[in-house]
Short mmCIF file of all heavy atoms in Angstrom, two decimals:
data_model
loop_
_atom_site.label_atom_id
_atom_site.label_comp_id
_atom_site.label_asym_id
_atom_site.label_seq_id
_atom_site.Cartn_x
_atom_site.Cartn_y
_atom_site.Cartn_z
N ASN A 19 1.17 -0.35 0.81
CA ASN A 19 2.39 -1.13 0.54
C ASN A 19 2.88 -1.82 1.80
O ASN A 19 3.21 -3.01 1.80
CB ASN A 19 3.50 -0.21 0.00
CG ASN A 19 3.51 -0.14 -1.51
OD1 ASN A 19 2.48 -0.31 -2.16
ND2 ASN A 19 4.66 0.13 -2.08
N THR A 20 2.94 -1.07 2.91
CA THR A 20 3.39 -1.64 4.18
C THR A 20 2.46 -2.77 4.61
O THR A 20 2.91 -3.81 5.10
CB THR A 20 3.45 -0.55 5.26
OG1 THR A 20 4.39 0.45 4.86
CG2 THR A 20 3.86 -1.12 6.60
N GLU A 21 1.16 -2.58 4.42
CA GLU A 21 0.19 -3.61 4.79
C GLU A 21 0.45 -4.89 4.01
O GLU A 21 0.41 -6.00 4.56
CB GLU A 21 -1.22 -3.10 4.54
CG GLU A 21 -2.33 -4.00 5.06
CD GLU A 21 -2.46 -3.98 6.57
OE1 GLU A 21 -2.01 -3.02 7.21
OE2 GLU A 21 -3.03 -4.96 7.11
N CYS A 22 0.72 -4.77 2.70
CA CYS A 22 1.00 -5.95 1.88
C CYS A 22 2.27 -6.66 2.34
O CYS A 22 2.32 -7.89 2.41
CB CYS A 22 1.14 -5.55 0.41
SG CYS A 22 -0.43 -5.43 -0.47
N LEU A 23 3.31 -5.90 2.65
CA LEU A 23 4.56 -6.52 3.10
C LEU A 23 4.37 -7.23 4.43
O LEU A 23 4.93 -8.32 4.65
CB LEU A 23 5.66 -5.46 3.21
CG LEU A 23 6.22 -4.95 1.88
CD1 LEU A 23 7.14 -3.76 2.10
CD2 LEU A 23 6.96 -6.06 1.14
N GLU A 24 3.58 -6.65 5.31
CA GLU A 24 3.31 -7.31 6.59
C GLU A 24 2.54 -8.61 6.37
O GLU A 24 2.81 -9.63 7.03
CB GLU A 24 2.53 -6.37 7.50
CG GLU A 24 3.37 -5.20 8.00
CD GLU A 24 2.56 -4.23 8.84
OE1 GLU A 24 1.31 -4.38 8.92
OE2 GLU A 24 3.18 -3.30 9.42
N ARG A 25 1.61 -8.61 5.43
CA ARG A 25 0.87 -9.84 5.12
C ARG A 25 1.82 -10.89 4.54
O ARG A 25 1.69 -12.08 4.83
CB ARG A 25 -0.26 -9.55 4.13
CG ARG A 25 -1.27 -8.53 4.59
CD ARG A 25 -2.08 -8.99 5.79
NE ARG A 25 -3.08 -7.99 6.15
CZ ARG A 25 -4.32 -7.97 5.70
NH1 ARG A 25 -4.73 -8.91 4.85
NH2 ARG A 25 -5.16 -7.04 6.08
N ALA A 26 2.76 -10.44 3.70
CA ALA A 26 3.71 -11.38 3.10
C ALA A 26 4.55 -12.06 4.17
O ALA A 26 4.81 -13.27 4.11
CB ALA A 26 4.61 -10.65 2.11
N ARG A 27 4.98 -11.30 5.18
CA ARG A 27 5.79 -11.88 6.26
C ARG A 27 5.00 -12.90 7.06
O ARG A 27 5.59 -13.79 7.68
CB ARG A 27 6.28 -10.76 7.18
CG ARG A 27 7.21 -9.76 6.49
CD ARG A 27 7.66 -8.66 7.44
NE ARG A 27 8.20 -7.53 6.69
CZ ARG A 27 7.73 -6.30 6.72
NH1 ARG A 27 6.67 -6.01 7.48
NH2 ARG A 27 8.30 -5.35 6.01
N LYS A 28 3.68 -12.78 7.03
CA LYS A 28 2.82 -13.72 7.75
C LYS A 28 2.37 -14.88 6.86
O LYS A 28 1.54 -15.68 7.28
CB LYS A 28 1.61 -12.98 8.31
CG LYS A 28 1.98 -11.94 9.36
CD LYS A 28 0.74 -11.16 9.81
CE LYS A 28 1.11 -10.08 10.82
NZ LYS A 28 -0.08 -9.27 11.23
N GLY A 29 2.88 -14.94 5.62
CA GLY A 29 2.59 -16.08 4.76
C GLY A 29 1.55 -15.85 3.70
O GLY A 29 1.11 -16.82 3.06
N ALA A 30 1.13 -14.61 3.46
CA ALA A 30 0.13 -14.35 2.42
C ALA A 30 0.64 -14.82 1.06
O ALA A 30 1.83 -14.73 0.75
CB ALA A 30 -0.22 -12.87 2.37
N LEU A 31 -0.28 -15.30 0.25
CA LEU A 31 0.07 -15.79 -1.08
C LEU A 31 0.09 -14.67 -2.10
O LEU A 31 -0.47 -13.59 -1.88
CB LEU A 31 -0.94 -16.87 -1.50
CG LEU A 31 -1.03 -18.11 -0.62
CD1 LEU A 31 -2.10 -19.06 -1.15
CD2 LEU A 31 0.31 -18.82 -0.50
N SER A 32 0.71 -14.94 -3.21
CA SER A 32 0.78 -13.97 -4.30
C SER A 32 -0.61 -13.64 -4.82
O SER A 32 -1.51 -14.50 -4.83
CB SER A 32 1.64 -14.54 -5.44
OG SER A 32 1.94 -13.56 -6.40
N GLY A 33 -0.80 -12.39 -5.24
CA GLY A 33 -2.06 -12.00 -5.85
C GLY A 33 -3.00 -11.24 -4.94
O GLY A 33 -4.14 -10.97 -5.31
N LEU A 34 -2.53 -10.84 -3.74
CA LEU A 34 -3.38 -10.12 -2.80
C LEU A 34 -3.36 -8.62 -3.10
O LEU A 34 -2.31 -7.99 -3.08
CB LEU A 34 -2.90 -10.36 -1.37
CG LEU A 34 -3.59 -9.52 -0.28
CD1 LEU A 34 -5.08 -9.88 -0.19
CD2 LEU A 34 -2.91 -9.70 1.07
N TRP A 35 -4.53 -8.06 -3.35
CA TRP A 35 -4.71 -6.61 -3.47
C TRP A 35 -5.21 -6.06 -2.14
O TRP A 35 -6.13 -6.61 -1.53
CB TRP A 35 -5.75 -6.27 -4.52
CG TRP A 35 -5.33 -6.24 -5.94
CD1 TRP A 35 -5.54 -7.21 -6.89
CD2 TRP A 35 -4.65 -5.18 -6.62
NE1 TRP A 35 -5.02 -6.82 -8.11
CE2 TRP A 35 -4.48 -5.57 -7.97
CE3 TRP A 35 -4.17 -3.93 -6.21
CZ2 TRP A 35 -3.84 -4.75 -8.91
CZ3 TRP A 35 -3.54 -3.11 -7.14
CH2 TRP A 35 -3.39 -3.53 -8.47
N ILE A 36 -4.60 -4.97 -1.70
CA ILE A 36 -5.09 -4.21 -0.55
C ILE A 36 -5.44 -2.81 -1.03
O ILE A 36 -4.60 -2.14 -1.66
CB ILE A 36 -4.03 -4.11 0.57
CG1 ILE A 36 -3.68 -5.49 1.14
CG2 ILE A 36 -4.49 -3.17 1.68
CD1 ILE A 36 -4.72 -6.09 2.04
N THR A 37 -6.67 -2.37 -0.77
CA THR A 37 -7.03 -0.98 -1.04
C THR A 37 -7.43 -0.31 0.26
O THR A 37 -7.80 -0.98 1.24
CB THR A 37 -8.19 -0.87 -2.05
OG1 THR A 37 -9.35 -1.54 -1.51
CG2 THR A 37 -7.82 -1.48 -3.39
N ALA A 38 -7.35 1.01 0.28
CA ALA A 38 -7.72 1.77 1.47
C ALA A 38 -8.40 3.06 1.05
O ALA A 38 -8.09 3.62 -0.02
CB ALA A 38 -6.50 2.08 2.33
N GLU A 39 -9.31 3.54 1.90
CA GLU A 39 -9.94 4.82 1.64
C GLU A 39 -8.97 5.97 1.91
O GLU A 39 -9.03 7.01 1.25
CB GLU A 39 -11.18 4.98 2.51
CG GLU A 39 -12.30 4.00 2.16
CD GLU A 39 -13.52 4.18 3.04
OE1 GLU A 39 -13.60 5.22 3.76
OE2 GLU A 39 -14.40 3.30 3.03
N ARG A 40 -8.07 5.75 2.88
CA ARG A 40 -7.11 6.80 3.23
C ARG A 40 -5.84 6.16 3.76
O ARG A 40 -5.89 5.12 4.42
CB ARG A 40 -7.71 7.74 4.29
CG ARG A 40 -6.84 8.94 4.64
CD ARG A 40 -7.63 9.91 5.51
NE ARG A 40 -7.78 9.37 6.85
CZ ARG A 40 -7.02 9.75 7.89
NH1 ARG A 40 -6.07 10.65 7.73
NH2 ARG A 40 -7.23 9.23 9.08
N GLN A 41 -4.70 6.78 3.45
CA GLN A 41 -3.42 6.36 4.02
C GLN A 41 -2.91 7.46 4.94
O GLN A 41 -2.91 8.63 4.56
CB GLN A 41 -2.37 6.13 2.92
CG GLN A 41 -2.70 5.00 1.96
CD GLN A 41 -1.60 4.82 0.93
OE1 GLN A 41 -1.02 3.74 0.83
NE2 GLN A 41 -1.31 5.86 0.16
N THR A 42 -2.46 7.07 6.12
CA THR A 42 -1.91 8.06 7.04
C THR A 42 -0.39 8.19 6.90
O THR A 42 0.20 9.15 7.41
CB THR A 42 -2.25 7.70 8.49
OG1 THR A 42 -1.74 6.38 8.78
CG2 THR A 42 -3.76 7.72 8.70
N GLY A 43 0.22 7.24 6.19
CA GLY A 43 1.67 7.29 6.01
C GLY A 43 2.06 6.95 4.59
O GLY A 43 3.06 6.24 4.37
N GLY A 44 1.30 7.43 3.61
CA GLY A 44 1.61 7.15 2.22
C GLY A 44 2.96 7.73 1.82
O GLY A 44 3.41 8.74 2.36
N ARG A 45 3.63 7.06 0.89
CA ARG A 45 4.94 7.53 0.48
C ARG A 45 5.12 7.27 -1.02
O ARG A 45 4.47 6.41 -1.61
CB ARG A 45 6.06 6.82 1.26
CG ARG A 45 6.06 5.30 1.11
CD ARG A 45 7.06 4.66 2.06
NE ARG A 45 7.10 3.21 1.88
CZ ARG A 45 6.29 2.36 2.46
NH1 ARG A 45 5.34 2.81 3.26
NH2 ARG A 45 6.41 1.05 2.26
N GLY A 46 6.02 8.04 -1.60
CA GLY A 46 6.36 7.89 -3.00
C GLY A 46 7.79 7.43 -3.16
O GLY A 46 8.42 6.95 -2.21
N ARG A 47 8.31 7.58 -4.37
CA ARG A 47 9.68 7.17 -4.63
C ARG A 47 10.66 7.99 -3.80
O ARG A 47 10.43 9.15 -3.51
CB ARG A 47 10.00 7.30 -6.12
CG ARG A 47 9.30 6.27 -6.99
CD ARG A 47 9.96 6.15 -8.35
NE ARG A 47 9.92 7.39 -9.11
CZ ARG A 47 8.95 7.72 -9.93
NH1 ARG A 47 7.91 6.93 -10.07
NH2 ARG A 47 8.99 8.86 -10.61
N ARG A 48 11.79 7.35 -3.47
CA ARG A 48 12.87 7.99 -2.71
C ARG A 48 12.39 8.53 -1.37
O ARG A 48 12.91 9.52 -0.85
CB ARG A 48 13.53 9.11 -3.53
CG ARG A 48 14.09 8.60 -4.86
CD ARG A 48 14.87 9.66 -5.60
NE ARG A 48 15.35 9.14 -6.89
CZ ARG A 48 16.12 9.84 -7.72
NH1 ARG A 48 16.49 11.06 -7.41
NH2 ARG A 48 16.50 9.31 -8.87
N GLY A 49 11.37 7.86 -0.80
CA GLY A 49 10.91 8.22 0.53
C GLY A 49 10.08 9.49 0.62
O GLY A 49 9.77 9.97 1.71
N ARG A 50 9.66 10.04 -0.53
CA ARG A 50 8.87 11.27 -0.50
C ARG A 50 7.48 10.99 0.07
O ARG A 50 6.88 9.96 -0.20
CB ARG A 50 8.74 11.85 -1.91
CG ARG A 50 10.07 12.25 -2.54
CD ARG A 50 9.88 12.61 -4.00
NE ARG A 50 11.16 12.93 -4.63
CZ ARG A 50 11.54 12.49 -5.82
NH1 ARG A 50 10.75 11.71 -6.52
NH2 ARG A 50 12.72 12.83 -6.32
N ALA A 51 6.98 11.93 0.86
CA ALA A 51 5.64 11.79 1.41
C ALA A 51 4.61 11.86 0.29
O ALA A 51 4.79 12.59 -0.68
CB ALA A 51 5.37 12.88 2.44
N TRP A 52 3.54 11.08 0.44
CA TRP A 52 2.46 11.08 -0.55
C TRP A 52 1.16 11.30 0.21
O TRP A 52 0.68 10.43 0.93
CB TRP A 52 2.42 9.75 -1.30
CG TRP A 52 1.38 9.70 -2.38
CD1 TRP A 52 0.09 9.27 -2.25
CD2 TRP A 52 1.53 10.10 -3.74
NE1 TRP A 52 -0.58 9.39 -3.45
CE2 TRP A 52 0.28 9.89 -4.38
CE3 TRP A 52 2.59 10.62 -4.49
CZ2 TRP A 52 0.08 10.18 -5.73
CZ3 TRP A 52 2.39 10.91 -5.82
CH2 TRP A 52 1.14 10.68 -6.43
N SER A 53 0.59 12.49 0.08
CA SER A 53 -0.64 12.82 0.77
C SER A 53 -1.77 11.94 0.25
O SER A 53 -1.92 11.76 -0.95
CB SER A 53 -0.99 14.30 0.56
OG SER A 53 -2.16 14.64 1.27
N SER A 54 -2.57 11.38 1.16
CA SER A 54 -3.52 10.34 0.78
C SER A 54 -4.89 10.59 1.40
O SER A 54 -5.31 9.92 2.34
CB SER A 54 -3.00 8.96 1.22
OG SER A 54 -1.70 8.74 0.72
N GLU A 55 -5.58 11.60 0.89
CA GLU A 55 -6.90 11.95 1.40
C GLU A 55 -7.98 11.07 0.77
O GLU A 55 -7.80 10.53 -0.33
CB GLU A 55 -7.18 13.42 1.13
CG GLU A 55 -6.25 14.37 1.87
CD GLU A 55 -6.31 14.19 3.37
OE1 GLU A 55 -7.44 14.06 3.90
OE2 GLU A 55 -5.26 14.19 4.01
N PRO A 56 -9.14 10.93 1.43
CA PRO A 56 -10.24 10.14 0.87
C PRO A 56 -10.71 10.70 -0.47
O PRO A 56 -10.63 11.90 -0.73
CB PRO A 56 -11.34 10.26 1.94
CG PRO A 56 -10.61 10.58 3.19
CD PRO A 56 -9.44 11.41 2.79
N GLY A 57 -11.19 9.80 -1.33
CA GLY A 57 -11.69 10.19 -2.64
C GLY A 57 -10.79 9.75 -3.77
O GLY A 57 -11.22 9.74 -4.93
N ASN A 58 -9.55 9.38 -3.45
CA ASN A 58 -8.63 8.85 -4.45
C ASN A 58 -8.53 7.34 -4.31
O ASN A 58 -9.04 6.76 -3.35
CB ASN A 58 -7.24 9.48 -4.29
CG ASN A 58 -7.22 10.96 -4.61
OD1 ASN A 58 -8.17 11.49 -5.20
ND2 ASN A 58 -6.15 11.63 -4.24
N LEU A 59 -7.83 6.71 -5.26
CA LEU A 59 -7.62 5.26 -5.18
C LEU A 59 -6.21 5.00 -4.66
O LEU A 59 -5.23 5.49 -5.22
CB LEU A 59 -7.79 4.62 -6.56
CG LEU A 59 -7.49 3.11 -6.61
CD1 LEU A 59 -8.42 2.33 -5.68
CD2 LEU A 59 -7.61 2.58 -8.04
N TYR A 60 -6.14 4.23 -3.59
CA TYR A 60 -4.87 3.77 -3.03
C TYR A 60 -4.90 2.25 -3.02
O TYR A 60 -5.73 1.65 -2.31
CB TYR A 60 -4.68 4.32 -1.61
CG TYR A 60 -4.94 5.81 -1.53
CD1 TYR A 60 -6.06 6.30 -0.87
CD2 TYR A 60 -4.09 6.72 -2.16
CE1 TYR A 60 -6.32 7.66 -0.81
CE2 TYR A 60 -4.35 8.08 -2.12
CZ TYR A 60 -5.46 8.55 -1.44
OH TYR A 60 -5.72 9.90 -1.40
N ALA A 61 -4.05 1.64 -3.80
CA ALA A 61 -4.12 0.19 -3.99
C ALA A 61 -2.72 -0.39 -4.10
O ALA A 61 -1.84 0.20 -4.74
CB ALA A 61 -4.92 -0.15 -5.26
N SER A 62 -2.51 -1.54 -3.48
CA SER A 62 -1.22 -2.24 -3.57
C SER A 62 -1.47 -3.71 -3.85
O SER A 62 -2.40 -4.31 -3.31
CB SER A 62 -0.42 -2.09 -2.27
OG SER A 62 -0.03 -0.74 -2.06
N LEU A 63 -0.61 -4.27 -4.68
CA LEU A 63 -0.70 -5.68 -5.06
C LEU A 63 0.55 -6.41 -4.60
O LEU A 63 1.68 -5.99 -4.90
CB LEU A 63 -0.85 -5.80 -6.58
CG LEU A 63 -0.75 -7.22 -7.17
CD1 LEU A 63 -1.88 -8.11 -6.65
CD2 LEU A 63 -0.76 -7.17 -8.70
N LEU A 64 0.36 -7.50 -3.89
CA LEU A 64 1.46 -8.34 -3.43
C LEU A 64 1.71 -9.46 -4.44
O LEU A 64 0.79 -10.19 -4.80
CB LEU A 64 1.13 -8.96 -2.07
CG LEU A 64 2.09 -10.04 -1.55
CD1 LEU A 64 3.48 -9.46 -1.29
CD2 LEU A 64 1.52 -10.70 -0.30
N LEU A 65 2.96 -9.57 -4.88
CA LEU A 65 3.39 -10.68 -5.71
C LEU A 65 4.53 -11.41 -5.01
O LEU A 65 5.41 -10.77 -4.43
CB LEU A 65 3.87 -10.18 -7.09
CG LEU A 65 2.85 -9.41 -7.94
CD1 LEU A 65 3.52 -8.91 -9.21
CD2 LEU A 65 1.65 -10.29 -8.28
N ILE A 66 4.51 -12.71 -5.06
CA ILE A 66 5.57 -13.52 -4.46
C ILE A 66 6.35 -14.20 -5.59
O ILE A 66 5.77 -14.88 -6.43
CB ILE A 66 5.01 -14.59 -3.50
CG1 ILE A 66 4.16 -13.94 -2.40
CG2 ILE A 66 6.16 -15.41 -2.91
CD1 ILE A 66 4.93 -13.05 -1.46
#
């Protein structure tokens, strides 16, 4: 999610998917930590 927002600030267009094998700072709703070990799907979509 953070990666997508950073791309948006740099002018990325709508429709960009970012996936990762692992997240070191994954988070859930209300700021809850989200453990993100390899083997799961972590994906974020940027819409403008």
Side-chain angles (χ1 to χ4, degrees):
N19 268 28
T20 299
E21 188 73 21
C22 276
L23 287 171
E24 290 177 353
R25 301 294 182 92
R27 297 179 197 120
K28 296 175 182 178
L31 300 178
S32 191
L34 173 64
W35 278 102
I36 297 285
T37 60
E39 293 180 12
R40 185 170 73 100
Q41 296 182 122
T42 58
R45 59 188 182 274
R47 289 198 298 270
R48 302 186 182 183
R50 298 171 183 135
W52 183 269
S53 182
S54 306
E55 296 301 317
N58 293 347
L59 176 60
Y60 311 110
S62 294
L63 171 63
L64 171 65
L65 301 176
I66 303 295

